């Protein structure tokens, strides 16, 4: 820990130096072995325009196909990786896998934009930009503009100036950034003004609450206003029902993700989903009202 907090340093700590709990050390060892054994998978969840039904892209979400415990969602293993160098190995695997999948989809005529989640510790690695450039160079047919990196406010806040310059350098490569779980972090408005992210993703908590809680509606209105003032795109997370979508359209947020549209799915399911997916008629009607 002490070393980790030294300025300008990154984490050269290994598990023994970090004096981790026995359980966490075991989990980290298991994760490392699972990575080598190819037990991780990416599932993909569509992002769409609620009114037109247009597919904006898909978000890659990691899963662990554990030989004994079954399919594990990230909550069961990502927290153990926090502040640990192994998060970089996982993160690089995710980026490579997503680019590979895009190539595969491209060859099937499905040109999809893909978003990947980037952990704070990974973004802060001194080689992040160089390694991202290398990954992109390995897939020369993929336009980097089609890759979006989702970061949490807390990740961007870590070391402010450094995060800014990392984000700018990545944007020079062509990739874009989204601020995930927006509204749950601590960023001040002056900070948001400076942060070069293209998209704000409204945290699903506000969306879920908005049908029954007027405070959450006010928050949604506020975030929608902010996105317009700062000229950022907006995507709502956690659209679980037709009514959530309807409310968002009424408030002026048109792009969304959630179970009412599609659950995260294996990549080979996306083509069928895309050919069958239609927005609720109530959503399409919203478009005419706003025109
Ligand atoms: P996130 O990036 O905010 O992703 C959204 C989470 O909400 C996903 O959970 C998704 O399955 C879930 N979700 C989507 N629509 C709905 C809905 O309508 N209702 C509800 N209740 N949930 C919905 P998941 O896949 O378990 O991922 C949880 C978090 O783990 C993600 O939150 C992200 O922060 C992190 N994560 C996932 N994959 C990766 C990864 O490859 N790398 C890193 N660093 N983090 C990841
Ligand atoms: Mg995300
Ligand atoms: Mg989120
Ligand atoms: Mg989240």
């Amino acid at each position: 820990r002490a070393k980790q907090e030294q300025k300008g340093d990154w984490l050269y700590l290994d598990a023994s130096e970090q004096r981790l709990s026995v359980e966490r050390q075991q989990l980290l060892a298991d994760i490392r072995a699972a990575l080598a054994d190819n037990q991780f998978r990416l599932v993909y969840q569509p992002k769409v325009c609620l009114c037109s039904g247009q597919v904006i892209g898909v978000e890659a979400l990691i899963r662990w196909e554990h030989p004994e415990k079954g399919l594990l969602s990230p909550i069961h293993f990502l927290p153990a990786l926090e502040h640990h160098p192994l998060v970089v190995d996982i993160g690089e695997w995710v980026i490579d896998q997503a680019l590979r999948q895009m190539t595969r989809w491209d060859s099937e005529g499905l040109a999809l934009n893909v978003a990947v989640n980037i952990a704070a510790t990974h973004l802060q690695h001194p080689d992040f930009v160089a390694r991202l450039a290398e990954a992109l160079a390995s897939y020369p047919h993929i336009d980097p503009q089609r890759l979006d990196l989702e970061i949490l406010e807390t990740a961007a806040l870590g070391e402010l100036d450094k995060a800014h310059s990392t984000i700018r350098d990545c944007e020079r490569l062509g990739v874009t950034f989204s601020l995930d779980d927006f509204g749950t972090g601590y960023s001040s408005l002056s900070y948001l003004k400076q942060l070069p992210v293209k998209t704000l993703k409204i945290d699903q908590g506000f969306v879920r609450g908005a049908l029954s809680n007027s405070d959450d509606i006010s928050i949604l209105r506020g975030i929608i206003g902010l996105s317009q003032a700062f000229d950022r795109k907006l995507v709502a997370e956690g659209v679980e029902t037709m009514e959530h979508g309807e409310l968002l359209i009424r408030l002026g947020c048109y792009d969304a993700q959630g179970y009412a549209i599609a659950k995260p799915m294996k990549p080979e399911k996306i083509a069928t989903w895309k050919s069958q997916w239609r927005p609720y008629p109530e959503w399409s009607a919203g478009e005419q009202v706003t025109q």
Side-chain angles (χ1 to χ4, degrees):
R1 272 242 163 245
K3 246 192 219 172
Q4 186 183 320
E5 270 142 30
Q6 265 173 26
K7 258 216 164 126
D9 257 345
W10 201 68
L11 325 165
Y12 299 102
L13 310 182
D14 63 26
S16 59
E17 285 176 274
Q18 272 194 322
R19 270 196 244 112
L20 304 173
S21 72
V22 176
E23 299 82 56
R24 189 170 166 215
Q25 284 189 46
Q26 184 57 51
L27 183 52
L28 285 165
D30 289 351
I31 292 170
R32 198 189 308 270
L35 192 58
D37 192 37
N38 201 20
Q39 291 174 11
F40 290 101
R41 303 275 174 269
L42 292 181
V43 289
Y44 295 85
Q45 186 182 35
K47 298 182 195 182
V48 303
C49 170
L50 293 167
C51 303
S52 70
Q54 191 201 342
V55 179
I56 302 158
V58 293
E59 176 179 6
L61 296 158
I62 196 166
R63 298 289 181 266
W64 180 358
E65 253 176 42
H66 196 286
E68 284 119 43
K69 296 180 187 160
L71 199 66
L72 298 182
S73 57
I75 185 75
H76 297 290
F77 55 95
L78 282 186
L81 288 166
E82 220 166 291
H83 303 302
H84 193 279
L86 195 52
V87 83
V88 175
D89 299 277
I90 301 272
E92 291 185 345
W93 178 85
V94 169
I95 291 171
D96 182 74
Q97 197 65 25
L99 289 167
R100 181 175 307 210
Q101 186 58 52
M102 283 167 98
T103 310
R104 209 171 290 146
W105 278 325
D106 280 2
S107 73
E108 296 163 11
L110 267 182
L112 289 165
N113 300 331
V114 176
V116 298
N117 293 281
I118 302 293
T121 316
H122 188 193
L123 188 76
Q124 286 154 11
H125 190 283
D127 294 338
F128 183 80
V129 181
R131 300 300 296 268
L132 179 65
E134 271 174 45
L136 289 166
S138 316
Y139 297 91
H141 299 295
I142 302 288
D143 181 347
Q145 310 251 15
R146 293 169 56 200
L147 183 67
D148 188 60
L149 305 182
E150 297 192 4
I151 55 171
L152 297 169
E153 274 173 283
T154 43
L157 277 167
E159 281 177 73
L160 213 64
D161 294 343
K162 224 159 124 202
H164 276 212
S165 68
T166 302
I167 293 173
R168 288 205 191 284
D169 289 347
C170 290
E171 286 192 327
R172 249 172 244 134
L173 296 174
V175 303
T176 55
F177 279 83
S178 294
L179 217 44
D180 210 342
D181 299 359
F182 185 75
T184 62
Y186 301 97
S187 39
S188 69
L189 297 183
S190 59
Y191 171 70
L192 175 64
K193 188 179 77 178
Q194 297 165 42
L195 196 68
V197 298
K198 196 166 172 185
T199 306
L200 309 177
K201 294 191 77 178
I202 306 177
D203 188 69
Q204 42 186 286
F206 303 125
V207 176
R208 194 171 308 133
L211 288 179
S212 55
N213 184 326
S214 63
D215 286 344
D216 283 325
I217 294 194
S218 303
I219 291 172
L220 288 182
R221 283 193 207 282
I223 294 177
I224 291 164
L226 275 179
S227 78
Q228 290 162 351
F230 290 134
D231 195 23
R232 307 304 158 92
K233 293 188 179 202
L234 205 54
V235 176
E237 299 188 306
V239 175
E240 292 188 354
T241 65
M242 187 283 288
E243 288 77 13
H244 289 120
E246 212 176 27
L247 175 63
L248 284 163
I249 293 168
R250 211 164 62 229
L251 295 174
C253 174
Y254 306 105
D255 292 346
Q257 214 177 332
Y259 293 167
I261 300 151
K263 291 197 169 173
M265 64 189 100
K266 291 180 177 172
E268 58 271 22
K269 302 263 185 204
I270 289 279
T272 309
W273 170 82
K274 191 169 183 248
S275 66
Q276 289 170 354
W277 139 256
R278 299 284 175 276
Y280 286 93
E282 290 90 340
W283 294 352
S284 333
E287 189 171 37
Q288 282 139 33
V289 175
T290 59
Q291 265 169 3

